[in-house]
């Protein structure tokens, strides 16, 4: 009798975590088996995914002279089957003692029964009838609970792709079926080692046990085993081993290496879908630094490796050459390739299967026919076999590791987290086609956003779904930019985390409904918030990957949903600026010397200092005409003016007047014609300050100043009376006089930035960055270019004002630094806010790290507004000099990089979703708490 005769073994049969969605994913009808999963019953083997008609089962029945071998794959369930006393537990313990198996790899039914009941053994046979019934039912209950818990443990290990040995009798087919179903559902192979021990030996061993199982029970076990041992190969096991005692003692266990793991080595260059675009492929590979040797194999001097996401053939003009290239690279160990939908279809065609070659695959067939005409049938058959072997050997996905940690996963169309590192029919199918459902209105399947659910941390690089630009969502990167449709061929470099791309020489597919055309048509479609809501990352050229956490994303989504200008107008969020290190001078919190030293320490040789206008930061998006806005925002509009948090700067009527005046002035000055642009994007300050801060000034600064002046004046007058009466209050009077002076400075400081306006009268816009024109972004220009260009703009319109600046050479022999300090001291004592000091170029790096794009140095008077009217008192100043600025500095760098990305994408007219991910990330960073005084 089995140890588990009474438990309920019903388990769900469908794929875990797929449920109804897993069933829905299978299209209702198959229009073309290139873009949809195949369901013809083919099966992949673990080692090479060779497609065969039946599942391969290894059945070993070694002779007494042979050393039996068990090849143990990574991640598997291994059932031990045998009657009580067959030696399963003893043998497993020996393997652990020898270091062959690990203790955590063994799950024992006896151990779980003991764990939940505290009983090592329960014998009901020698009790009275009533007692026996009670003990029997207790045993039933304990076994049922023990096996349920044990199965949960095994399932958890399977999800983590761990090896698990099941130490139980497993004599009932329904018990074994539980684990076969589990392995199928969780995509791990299930092996069985059946111990064929003579009945006589079993009985002898039972008599020697502390708690014998009994003669009848052992005989029943033995009969069950003998009746089922030869039918095991029909139950779905990947390997079946029938072993006698002496063979078990000699069994050699060989742990197979993980077939999907590769070390990252010197780095990889992952190339997107090539589709027979051979010339573009060679151009890209050469740009990546690979050079052909005398045999035609492309190698990199640093030992880097080329990796293909598949679909190297079909649709394009030179599939044959592309296939031969990859066949040579793979054979030489200089390349890797994963399985793909076109690759799978072509492989089956090359096998002689009945496959409809359409959707560009017929072009590959035509190339093969032409090859046969030139080289003959024998040469063609040899070539087809080479291609077939290469395609069938391609794994569903590859995992690249660094220091033993999974860093990068490369797959064709997508992968679920719990599929990573495993192989099965379903996983191969998913990696080829991704998540799809049948469309009711088209013969093309609808692709689902599988990447929204990615949480396991690896960077997943994939293709299959052509998009205008590389798309980064939730640590997944799509690098299929539709080269065959006239787009680009993209490579992603790791660990550099950078892109390299070449333009297609033409639209080879000439498809009027190509994916790129469909992307352009839905350019202004609302972003899919599902891919952002749980947190996401943006990969930037200047900073690298920038991640934002879910709680801040949700706050930013709330802002953009309720308060900002329409998303299509929200093209750029200006970055915050970092303050300098605290001043070493006793009476200063901030001073230009620290900002200059910071840049000098980063080997910056020249900086540009700009006068900071005390106004409100604003972005001005201006179009030459309302119709000129359509290609950029999808509708007619003169432009938009909004704050650094995305809110409209002016009331609608005043905004229209300001934009119309700017458009008229620039048109009259010939600006649009001179620069051949229909659009200009400016980063600016708009003065006076009270335009946006009127309520803040009235409710806070004015009241505080009035109260402080009244209070301190009253106290000082009272002290003067006391002094006249001969009381010793001189020291107190000096303190109050100083505090009254502070109050006067405070009141004068904020009032200097405020004046009355009437409509547009009194409003001035001070641009300091010309971010973009119609055809180009200017984020890579020198700051002097920007300052001179804003001077030109100021000459075009009375609404615009020039920003003063100074170029400073960071040279010990130059007196520029002192001239800058003198200028800063003069203007700040006159009541101006201060200076913004920037490196020579907008974007500069040192040691691979982005240098702060701007450091604001505020004057002593202005800082009364920020830190309070008495901040300069020694105790207060000492405390303020302990301020922490690292987080502010980090945010300034990340927001700057996001701004560059969003402007670049806007100029390239990328989909709204691509710009929005940058803007949303910048707003999310602003939601992360940082000392607002910095």
């Amino acid at each position: 009798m089995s140890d588990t005769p009474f438990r309920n073994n019903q388990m769900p049969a469908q794929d875990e975590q797929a449920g109804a969605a897993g069933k829905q994913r299978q299209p209702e009808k198959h229009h073309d088996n290139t873009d949809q999963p195949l369901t013809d019953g083919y099966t992949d083997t673990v080692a090479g995914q060779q497609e065969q008609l039946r599942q391969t089962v290894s059945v070993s029945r070694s002779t007494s002279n042979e050393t039996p071998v068990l090849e143990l794959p990574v991640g598997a369930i291994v059932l031990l089957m045998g009657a009580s006393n067959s030696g399963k537990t003893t043998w497993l313990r020996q393997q652990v003692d020898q270091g062959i198996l690990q203790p955590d790899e063994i799950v024992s039914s006896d151990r779980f029964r003991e764990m939940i009941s505290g009983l090592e053994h329960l014998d009901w046979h020698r009790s009275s009838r009533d007692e026996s019934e009670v003990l029997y039912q207790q045993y039933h209950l304990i076994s049922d609970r023990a096996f349920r818990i044990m199965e949960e443990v095994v399932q958890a290990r399977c999800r983590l792709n761990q090896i698990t040995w099941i130490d139980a009798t497993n004599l009932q087919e329904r018990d074994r079926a539980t684990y076969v179903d589990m392995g199928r559902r969780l995509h791990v192979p299930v092996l069985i080692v059946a111990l064929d021990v003579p009945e006589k030996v079993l009985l002898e061993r039972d008599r020697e046990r502390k708690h014998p199982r009994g003669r009848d029970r052992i005989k029943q076990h033995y009969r069950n085993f003998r009746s089922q041992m030869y039918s095991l190969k029909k139950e779905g096991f990947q390997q079946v081993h029938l072993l006698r005692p002496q063979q078990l003692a000699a069994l050699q266990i060989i742990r197979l290496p993980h077939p999907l793991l590769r070390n990252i080595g010197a780095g990889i260059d992952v190339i997107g879908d090539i589709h027979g675009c051979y010339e573009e492929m060679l151009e890209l590979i050469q740009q990546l630094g690979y050079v052909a040797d005398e045999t035609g194999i492309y190698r990199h001097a640093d030992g880097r490796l080329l990796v293909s996401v598949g679909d190297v053939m079909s649709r394009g003009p030179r599939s044959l050459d592309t296939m031969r290239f990859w066949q040579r690279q793979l054979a030489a160990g200089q390349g890797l390739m994963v399985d793909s939908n076109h690759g799978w279809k072509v492989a089956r065609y090359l096998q002689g299967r009945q496959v409809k070659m359409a959707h560009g695959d017929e072009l590959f067939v035509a190339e093969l026919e032409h090859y046969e005409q030139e080289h003959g049938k024998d040469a063609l058959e040899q070539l087809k076999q080479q291609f077939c072997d290469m395609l069938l050997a391609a794994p569903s996905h590859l995992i690249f590791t660094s220091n033993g940690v999974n860093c990068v996963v490369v797959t064709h169309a997508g992968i679920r987290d719990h599929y990573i590192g495993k192989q099965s029919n379903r996983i191969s199918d998913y990696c080829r086609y991704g998540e799809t459902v049948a469309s009711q209105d088209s013969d093309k399947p609808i692709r689902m956003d599988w990447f929204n659910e990615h949480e396991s941390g690896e960077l997943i690089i994939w293709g299959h779904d052509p998009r205008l630009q590389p798309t980064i969502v939730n640590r997944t990167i799509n690098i299929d930019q539709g080269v065959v449709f006239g787009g680009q061929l993209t490579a992603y470099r790791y660990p550099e985390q950078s892109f390299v791309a070449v333009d297609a020489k033409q639209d080879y597919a000439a498809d009027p409904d190509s994916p790129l055309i469909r992307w352009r048509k839905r350019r202004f479609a609302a972003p899919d918030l599902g891919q952002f809501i749980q947190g996401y990352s943006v990969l930037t050229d200047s900073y690298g990957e920038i991640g934002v956490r879910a709680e801040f994303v949700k706050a930013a989504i709330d802002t953009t949903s309720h308060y900002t200008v329409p998303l299509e107008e929200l093209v750029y969020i200006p970055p915050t600026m970092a303050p300098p290190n605290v001043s070493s001078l006793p009476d200063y919190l901030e001073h230009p010397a620290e900002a200059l030293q910071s840049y000098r320490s980063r080997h910056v040789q020249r900086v540009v200092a700009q006068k900071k206008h005390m106004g409100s930061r604003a972005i001005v998006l201006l179009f030459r005409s309302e119709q000129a806005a359509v290609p950029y925002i999808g509708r007619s509009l003169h432009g938009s003016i909004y704050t650094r948090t995305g809110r409209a700067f002016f009331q609608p009527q005043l905004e229209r007047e300001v934009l119309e005046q700017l458009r008229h002035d620039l048109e009259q000055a010939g600006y649009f014609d001179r620069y051949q642009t229909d659009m200009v994007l400016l980063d600016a300050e708009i003065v006076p300050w009270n335009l946006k801060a009127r309520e803040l000034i009235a409710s806070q600064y004015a009241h505080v100043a009035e109260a402080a002046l009244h209070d301190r004046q009253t106290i000082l007058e009272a002290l003067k009376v006391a002094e006249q009466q001969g009381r010793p209050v001189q020291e107190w009077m000096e303190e109050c006089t100083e505090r009254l002076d502070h109050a006067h400075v405070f009141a004068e400081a904020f009032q200097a930035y405020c004046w009355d306006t009437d409509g547009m009268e009194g409003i001035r816009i001070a641009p300091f960055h010309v971010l973009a024109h119609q055809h180009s972004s200017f984020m890579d220009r020198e700051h002097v270019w920007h300052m001179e260009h804003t001077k030109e703009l100021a000459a075009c319109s009375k609404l615009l004002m020039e920003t003063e600046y100074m170029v400073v050479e960071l040279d010990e022999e130059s007196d520029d630094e002192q001239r800058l300090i003198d200028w800063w001291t003069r203007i700040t004592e006159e009541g101006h806010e201060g200076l913004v000091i920037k490196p020579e170029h907008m974007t500069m790096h040192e040691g691979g790290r982005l240098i702060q794009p701007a450091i604001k140095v505020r004057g002593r008077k202005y800082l009364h507004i920020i830190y309070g009217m008495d901040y300069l008192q020694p105790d207060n100043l000492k405390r303020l000099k302990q301020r922490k600025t690292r987080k502010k500095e980090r945010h300034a760098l990340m927001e700057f990089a996001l701004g560059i990305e969003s402007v670049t994408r806007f100029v390239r007219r990328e989909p709204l979703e691509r710009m929005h991910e940058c803007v949303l990330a910048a707003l999310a960073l602003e939601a992360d708490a940082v000392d607002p005084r910095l």
Side-chain angles (χ1 to χ4, degrees):
M1 169 169 77
S2 168
D3 279 359
T4 60
F6 304 109
R7 57 194 181 94
N8 182 352
N9 291 309
Q10 294 181 4
M11 297 291 290
Q14 69 269 20
D15 182 25
E16 185 183 55
Q17 299 184 16
K23 297 177 181 178
Q24 182 187 21
R25 184 173 65 83
Q26 298 296 336
E28 297 178 1
K29 52 185 178 179
H30 291 284
H31 298 279
D32 176 71
N33 57 6
T34 298
D35 297 319
Q36 302 192 36
L38 297 168
T39 55
D40 61 358
Y42 275 62
T43 303
D44 301 334
T45 63
V46 172
Q49 290 190 321
Q50 297 289 338
E51 310 301 337
Q52 300 180 21
L53 289 172
R54 296 178 181 270
Q55 184 177 26
T56 300
V57 179
S58 171
V59 182
S60 72
R61 185 60 155 135
S62 303
T63 67
S64 58
N65 296 327
E66 296 176 342
T67 299
V69 176
L70 172 62
E71 293 186 337
L72 198 59
V74 175
I77 299 174
V78 187
L79 299 184
L80 286 180
M81 175 185 171
S84 292
N85 304 318
S86 57
K88 302 181 296 298
T89 303
T90 301
W91 180 80
L92 287 171
R93 190 181 302 118
Q94 292 171 350
Q95 304 308 302
V96 171
D97 292 342
Q98 296 172 25
I100 298 173
L101 301 182
Q102 298 300 314
D104 64 275
E105 295 178 330
I106 299 169
V107 175
S108 167
S109 60
D110 289 341
R111 175 61 181 144
F112 273 89
R113 269 193 293 267
E114 184 179 352
M115 186 185 303
I116 66 170
S117 68
L119 298 174
E120 182 180 350
H121 179 66
L122 188 61
D123 186 2
W124 63 85
H125 296 93
R126 301 178 184 180
S127 304
S128 66
R129 181 168 184 172
D130 289 343
E131 292 174 347
S132 178
E133 180 64 23
V134 172
L135 292 174
Y136 179 82
Q137 293 299 333
Q138 283 186 355
Y139 181 81
H140 166 84
L141 182 62
I142 291 170
S143 291
D144 183 70
R145 296 292 185 268
F147 274 95
R148 288 184 182 277
I149 297 171
M150 189 172 83
E151 287 164 12
E152 287 294 327
V153 171
V154 177
Q155 287 187 80
R157 292 184 61 83
C158 288
R159 293 188 188 101
L160 296 173
N161 211 23
Q162 299 293 312
I163 293 173
T164 307
W165 291 74
I166 310 296
D167 182 10
T169 57
N170 294 307
L171 292 173
Q172 297 295 328
E173 182 178 354
R174 64 175 179 269
D175 299 340
R176 299 190 295 272
T178 295
Y179 294 106
V180 172
D181 291 342
M182 186 187 298
R184 184 179 299 114
R185 181 164 42 85
L186 300 178
H187 313 284
V188 296
V190 183
L191 292 60
I192 189 165
V193 178
L195 306 185
D196 185 7
V197 180
E199 183 181 52
K200 180 180 178 181
V201 175
L202 296 174
L203 293 170
E204 290 174 355
R205 291 176 178 176
D206 192 61
R207 286 192 292 270
E208 297 173 359
R209 294 188 69 155
K210 180 180 179 181
H211 300 292
R213 271 35 177 179
R215 179 182 181 85
D216 292 342
R217 189 177 182 187
I218 299 302
K219 284 180 168 291
Q220 180 64 45
H221 279 196
Y222 182 73
R223 286 194 297 269
N224 288 346
F225 179 86
R226 299 296 297 179
S227 66
Q228 298 181 54
M229 58 186 288
Y230 293 110
S231 62
L232 293 176
K233 64 181 180 181
K234 301 177 182 179
E235 295 183 15
F237 296 104
Q238 273 73 18
Q239 295 180 37
V240 176
H241 297 268
L242 295 175
L243 302 176
R244 295 188 177 93
Q246 65 271 26
Q247 294 171 325
L248 178 65
L251 179 64
Q252 182 180 1
I253 298 175
I254 299 177
R255 291 181 183 262
L256 299 175
H258 200 307
L260 303 177
L261 290 186
R262 300 290 188 279
N263 190 280
I264 202 71
I268 57 174
D269 298 299
V270 189
I271 299 178
D273 300 40
I274 300 168
H275 281 299
C277 298
Y278 181 73
E279 293 184 20
E280 288 85 349
M281 180 193 74
L282 287 186
E283 181 182 350
L284 177 63
I285 288 172
Q286 289 164 2
Q287 282 194 23
L288 292 168
Y290 292 82
V291 178
D293 63 16
E294 62 278 2
T295 64
I297 304 299
Y298 279 78
R299 303 177 187 272
H300 197 282
D302 297 333
R304 300 176 66 87
L305 196 64
L306 290 171
V307 183
S308 168
V309 300
D311 275 3
V312 300
M313 78 299 288
S314 302
R315 297 187 187 272
R318 298 179 64 177
S319 292
L320 205 62
D321 290 337
T322 308
M323 292 272 284
R324 296 175 75 178
F325 172 89
W326 283 98
Q327 193 274 329
R328 291 194 300 268
Q329 291 291 127
L330 269 62
Q334 294 299 308
L336 294 169
M337 177 191 296
V338 296
D339 193 12
S340 58
N341 57 315
H342 281 275
W344 164 237
K345 184 179 178 182
V346 168
R348 296 180 67 245
Y349 167 80
L350 295 173
Q351 281 185 316
R353 306 292 177 186
Q354 292 298 315
V355 180
K356 181 181 178 182
M357 300 296 278
H359 294 274
D361 295 311
E362 70 277 8
L363 300 178
F364 176 65
V365 175
E367 286 193 62
L368 290 177
E369 292 172 349
H370 181 70
Y371 183 88
E372 182 180 15
Q373 293 173 3
E374 288 191 346
H375 300 88
K377 186 174 181 179
D378 291 343
L380 174 65
E381 291 302 319
Q382 182 179 1
L383 186 67
K384 288 170 63 176
Q385 188 60 53
Q386 292 174 349
F387 287 168
C388 185
D389 292 343
M390 174 184 73
L391 295 173
L392 291 180
S396 59
H397 63 288
L398 288 167
I399 305 168
F400 292 91
T401 66
S402 177
N403 297 319
V405 178
N406 295 355
C407 295
V408 177
V409 176
V410 177
T411 186
H412 180 64
I415 191 168
R416 292 175 176 170
D417 286 355
H418 64 285
Y419 287 171
I420 295 174
K422 301 178 181 179
Q423 295 188 97
S424 71
N425 293 339
R426 187 185 294 274
I427 292 174
S428 294
D429 201 48
Y430 194 95
C431 291
R432 292 173 188 137
Y433 306 99
E435 190 89 25
T436 63
V437 295
S439 171
Q440 301 298 321
D441 305 317
S442 169
D443 64 346
K444 294 181 173 64
I446 299 174
R447 291 166 179 161
M448 310 301 288
D449 293 341
W450 59 270
F451 38 78
N452 290 340
E453 307 301 322
H454 175 48
E455 296 179 345
S456 60
E458 302 94 340
L459 185 65
I460 300 177
I461 307 172
W462 62 292
H464 183 63
D465 183 7
R467 302 174 177 219
L468 293 174
Q469 296 292 335
T471 304
I472 307 167
V473 177
N474 209 19
R475 288 194 60 75
T476 72
I477 303 177
N478 173 280
I479 58 168
D480 181 5
Q481 275 59 74
V483 62
V484 77
F485 300 110
Q488 292 183 315
L489 182 61
T490 302
Y492 180 73
R493 313 199 77 198
Y494 190 89
E496 293 80 0
Q497 301 188 45
S498 62
F499 296 99
V500 178
V502 298
D503 294 330
K505 299 185 182 300
Q506 66 181 76
D507 181 356
Y508 300 103
D511 183 354
D513 190 34
S514 75
L516 297 191
I517 292 174
R518 292 199 299 272
W519 265 99
R520 292 186 182 102
K521 286 180 179 178
R522 58 187 181 95
R523 182 180 166 215
F524 299 109
D528 175 18
L529 296 182
Q531 60 185 284
F532 303 133
I533 195 71
Q534 298 303 324
Y536 67 101
S537 61
V538 181
L539 194 61
T540 64
D541 288 337
S542 56
Y543 187 87
E545 184 177 357
I546 297 174
V548 285
R549 288 156 45 190
E551 62 266 34
F552 303 132
V553 173
K554 291 171 183 175
I557 288 176
D558 182 66
T559 297
T560 56
S561 300
H562 294 91
Y563 308 112
T564 67
V565 299
L567 293 183
E568 60 271 19
E569 300 173 28
L570 196 60
V571 300
Y572 170 76
I573 294 296
T576 187
M577 286 184 290
N581 295 327
V582 294
S583 175
S584 58
L585 299 175
D587 298 329
Y588 287 86
L589 181 61
E590 296 180 6
H591 192 272
E594 275 67 34
L596 296 176
Q597 178 55 34
S598 176
Y599 284 126
R600 188 182 289 110
S601 68
R602 300 296 300 276
H603 302 101
V604 176
Q605 298 178 344
R606 184 181 295 107
V607 298
V608 176
Q610 302 171 359
K611 183 178 178 181
K612 195 173 190 309
H613 302 279
M614 181 49 188
S616 300
R617 192 83 172 265
I619 301 304
V620 180
L621 174 61
L622 179 67
F623 295 103
R624 186 173 191 173
S625 65
E626 290 189 353
Q627 193 60 30
V630 175
Y632 291 93
I633 64 172
R635 54 188 169 84
S636 299
L637 188 74
H638 269 319
S640 181
I641 304 176
Y642 58 86
T643 69
R644 70 178 307 270
T645 58
R647 292 165 170 81
F649 197 97
F650 297 111
Q651 293 297 318
Q653 179 59 38
L654 182 55
E655 181 185 65
R656 281 193 295 270
E657 293 176 7
V658 171
L659 288 169
E660 178 54 35
Q661 185 65 54
L662 285 173
R663 187 204 63 78
H664 175 270
D665 291 346
L666 266 61
E667 189 71 77
Q668 290 296 310
Y671 183 88
F672 293 113
D673 287 333
R674 184 159 60 253
Y675 290 101
Q676 293 294 297
T677 183
D678 287 337
M679 177 272 292
V680 60
L681 181 64
L682 303 174
D683 194 352
E685 289 271 348
I686 299 182
V687 295
W689 185 35
N690 52 291
L691 272 174
K692 292 303 295 178
R694 184 182 302 276
E695 183 177 345
L696 174 67
I697 293 168
S699 64
Q700 181 172 322
Y701 293 114
H703 287 174
V704 170
E706 183 180 0
L709 288 169
H710 179 271
D711 178 64
R712 296 180 181 190
Q713 184 66 49
T714 301
I715 293 174
L716 185 60
E717 289 175 357
L719 289 173
K720 288 180 180 179
V721 172
E723 184 185 34
Q724 293 172 0
Q725 295 175 350
R727 298 184 180 183
V729 295
Q730 184 62 37
E731 184 176 347
W732 195 357
M733 283 183 61
E734 291 176 359
E735 179 184 345
C736 286
T737 300
E738 183 181 13
R739 287 166 59 84
L740 181 60
D741 290 342
H742 291 167
H744 280 293
V745 172
F746 178 82
E748 294 169 0
F750 73 84
Q751 290 176 1
Y753 312 122
C754 306
W755 58 81
D756 292 332
T757 60
D758 182 11
M760 288 193 297
E761 189 65 33
I763 296 175
R764 302 297 298 279
I765 301 173
F768 50 85
H769 285 159
V770 184
L771 298 172
H773 278 172
Q774 177 177 348
H775 300 295
S776 59
S777 162
F778 299 125
M779 305 294 278
D780 58 345
R781 296 296 184 94
E782 296 181 354
H783 281 294
V784 170
W785 179 91
H786 284 272
M787 301 313 298
E788 290 300 313
H789 202 97
T790 56
K791 183 187 296 186
E792 179 184 350
L793 282 166
C796 295
S797 174
K798 64 179 183 180
L799 271 173
L800 301 174
M801 62 185 292
E802 183 181 344
T803 297
E804 297 178 58
Y805 75 98
M806 175 186 295
V807 178
V808 178
E809 299 286 345
L810 297 182
D811 188 337
E812 294 181 358
E813 298 180 359
S814 172
D815 61 354
D816 285 356
E817 180 171 346
Q818 188 57 50
R819 289 195 303 110
L820 173 67
I821 293 173
D822 293 343
W823 181 37
W824 176 82
T825 303
R826 175 173 55 81
I827 63 174
T828 55
E829 289 302 314
E830 292 173 357
H832 294 283
E833 180 179 348
L835 297 176
V836 178
I837 302 176
K838 304 177 180 180
E840 180 180 9
H841 299 274
M842 286 192 70
T843 305
M844 295 186 70
H845 290 81
E846 190 264 336
R849 296 174 57 194
L850 182 64
I851 295 175
Q852 278 293 343
I855 297 176
K856 59 183 178 182
V857 187
R858 298 164 292 184
R860 293 209 315 166
K861 286 188 174 181
Y862 172 80
L863 287 176
H864 283 85
I865 300 175
I866 304 302
Y867 288 104
M869 58 186 68
D870 297 320
Y871 88 98
L872 282 175
Q873 287 187 333
D875 289 344
N876 292 336
L877 190 58
K878 180 179 179 181
R879 174 175 51 82
L880 289 173
K881 285 191 175 186
Q882 303 302 314
R883 67 185 187 181
K884 307 297 183 182
T885 61
R886 293 290 298 275
K887 191 173 184 180
K888 180 78 168 181
E889 293 165 355
R890 189 169 64 253
H891 277 213
L893 291 171
M894 292 190 291
E895 291 176 26
F896 175 72
L898 289 167
I900 294 176
E901 284 294 321
S902 62
V903 171
T904 302
R905 296 175 186 187
F906 175 69
V907 171
R908 290 197 301 227
R909 305 184 191 181
E910 294 189 26
L912 175 61
E913 187 171 273
R914 288 271 295 162
M915 289 182 296
H916 184 62
E917 72 171 9
C918 299
V919 168
L920 190 68
L923 290 172
L925 289 174
E926 284 296 306
D928 190 359
V930 176
D931 186 347
R933 301 172 299 176
L934 293 176

